[in-house]
Amino acid sequence: MFRRIGTAVVRHPVWTIVAWLIAAVAIVATAPSLPSNSDESSFLPKSYESIQAADLQQKAFPSAFTPSAIALYQRTDGGKLSAADLKDVARITTELGGKHIDQVQKVVPGPPSKDGKYSMTLVQMDSKQAGQPAQADAAKVLRADVKQLAKGTDLEVKLGGSAAQALDQQDSSKRGEALIGIGTFVIILVTLLIIFRAPILAFLPLVLIGVVSAIANGLIAYATKLFGLQANSSVSSILIVVLFGVGTDYFLFLMFRYRERLRAGDEPKQAMINAVDRVGEAIASAAGAVIIAFLALVLSTLGFLKQMGPALAISVTVTLIAGLTLIPAVVSLIGPKVFWPSKSWQQEPSNARFAALGRSVQRRPALTAAVSGLILLVLSLGTLGYKATFDLASGSMPKTKESMVVQDRMQTAYSAGAAAPTDVYLSSGDGKPLDRSAFDAYAAKLGAVDGVASARMSQVNKAGTTADFTVTLKYEASTDKAIDAVGRVRDVAHANAPDGTEAVVGGMSSIYKDIDSAVNHDYRTVFPVAALLIMVILGLLLRSVVAPWYLIASVGLGFGATLGATVWIFQDAQNKPGLMFMLPVIMYLFVVAIGTDYNILMIARLREEAREGREPREAAGMALRHAGPTVAAAGFILAATFATMMLAGNALLTEMGFAVSFGIAVAAFVMAMFFTPSLTALIGHAAWWPGHADRARPAVDAGPAAAADDDDEYQAAGRRG
């Protein structure tokens, strides 16, 4: 199949390129816009209690006051607010409300802090638009207006709250995307220049992947709109790295084999056909593993991951098709001039370093497997200390952003949970009015829960069928202590609800509690499904039921080592409360799926060497000698491109960038280079049971071109041996 694809593309390169350009123009011109949602509650399905509470609030208290933005005032000298200062705060609040800013429904004064140093203005926005760009735009206007109104006073004012956080997150994402894009471009360009010393070859993948990126983003926008998926700004940053990182990987897989075929004496166009034929199966299998793993995210209960899975799968699918069609078409059109001005492509280098590594694995496979396995196992011990944190807002932007400064100051000036109180909604089951005489006792029981600062009945709906009890926690909403406390509030609220009534608990801590449950569900569902499907792909590629087991086990060890190292560096060494809650899921998919790419490339080459009549240990050594440079180059570029995510300046992308780049480095330089080939050498022919795919096979009659290709390959193998 891959020979037919290569032949068709190389014979009609111009038509192939034109088809890609037409597709790019058509898709980009007609693709819908992709709005971003930063509302954490939108990540959860309707079955979770926090979402049920939010729906009940909308029905029972449609005009309930829930601030979307908070203007926090303090004196410029840091002293207590004077009577004149409080008068200025009241004036600013009144004038701000009179501006009738889009999305703003109500502007009211907030309470002063207990120490008298702070006061607030609370701004309510349309709850149906929570997390949407329109509210971020409203926050931008609010921030400018409130600062303008405070001019000429002794007050310093900063705008926080969910709408302001959405605005700051948006700005941070744009800056992060720019830095990641520039960093990725520079790393790929410089690395390819060093490897090939050919400017055309260095720029070519960047141009081609740029076309692929435009098509992929258009298709993602179509899929997001068609299936009603949630969009999130963090996905864009990840897409940049995936498209350029994975695209460059497949480009390298193909170009190293193309160069090898040219050195074996193939005519340039035939060399590309043979390269696609030989490496096409490995690229397709590697991409298939990545696509399947990403699609497993559809099983997630979190909207953020549900959208990320198909988006990344679409990106890799388009990249795979480009790797088998667009790249071969363009390179075959240019021919060997693509390597200009370097002439090193004309002769095979000694590869002394990789040849020495290959001989080491060949002579001491048991020692190599033991040492590399022990390194992975020791690093995996760090996973025992893993803890999650759920503050997505502060995790996705620097602490210096204005909304984050407001959040931190409010935690010290007011009760830590005051900025995001928990609400317990008590409703009658039969539609009759509630017995109000039980309210005080119920509020007292809620207030007595460990971790609760105060609890009171704040309002009853007009029909008298639903009561809202405001519970203020002692801790900031996203902390582990707050999440544990809201769990206890739920238990007490449910157990002590009067006969004939039902209680549901809402608020940010309740949402985080449900996100925690959803993530745990994903661990139990997404992880095993992705692993099983990747094993199926490995089994089909290798025609073996043995090899997939130790290959997926080695990748699992790589995941454990990556998470362990991330815990030690970001959680323990920096004394953080935990890592971002979605990190293990994302890390698992990237490290397991993309890490499998290098195992596939190495094991496919090992099988190829074995089919030429080499014994298992010799085949492992030769595979490392010839596939080692490709794995090293691809692994370095992909790890370095993911590391650019650390330039974004926020906790989520910094942790993700380190974890994935470290995991890919482990996959390329520990697993694929040493652990996998040494284990395969030790297991021997049994690794390929029951298919015996490593046995030498007679040449299949596929026409003169194929026969010539086989002869060239065997002659080249003889020269290498």
Side-chain angles (χ1 to χ4, degrees), residues 14 16 39 100 157 252 321 452 502 538 568 574 617 626 701 716:
V14 175
T16 303
D39 179 19
H100 304 294
V157 58
L252 284 171
I321 297 170
V452 171
E502 182 183 356
L538 289 170
W568 279 336
Q574 298 184 23
R617 294 193 178 198
H626 293 289
D701 185 12

Side-chain angles (χ1 to χ4, degrees), residues 559-579:
F559 164 76
T562 303
L563 181 57
T566 308
V567 167
W568 279 336
I569 291 173
F570 286 93
Q571 184 178 299
D572 296 344
Q574 298 184 23
N575 199 28
K576 288 186 176 181
L579 303 177

Side-chain angles (χ1 to χ4, degrees), residues 7 98 120 129 137 147 160 164 266 293 311 353 394 429 432 463 468 490 539 575 595 615 619 634 651 681:
T7 301
M120 295 188 292
Q129 296 292 315
D137 294 340
K147 290 181 187 298
D266 288 0
R353 194 168 300 168
S394 64
K432 294 180 180 179
D468 175 10
R490 283 184 178 182
N575 199 28
E615 285 302 308

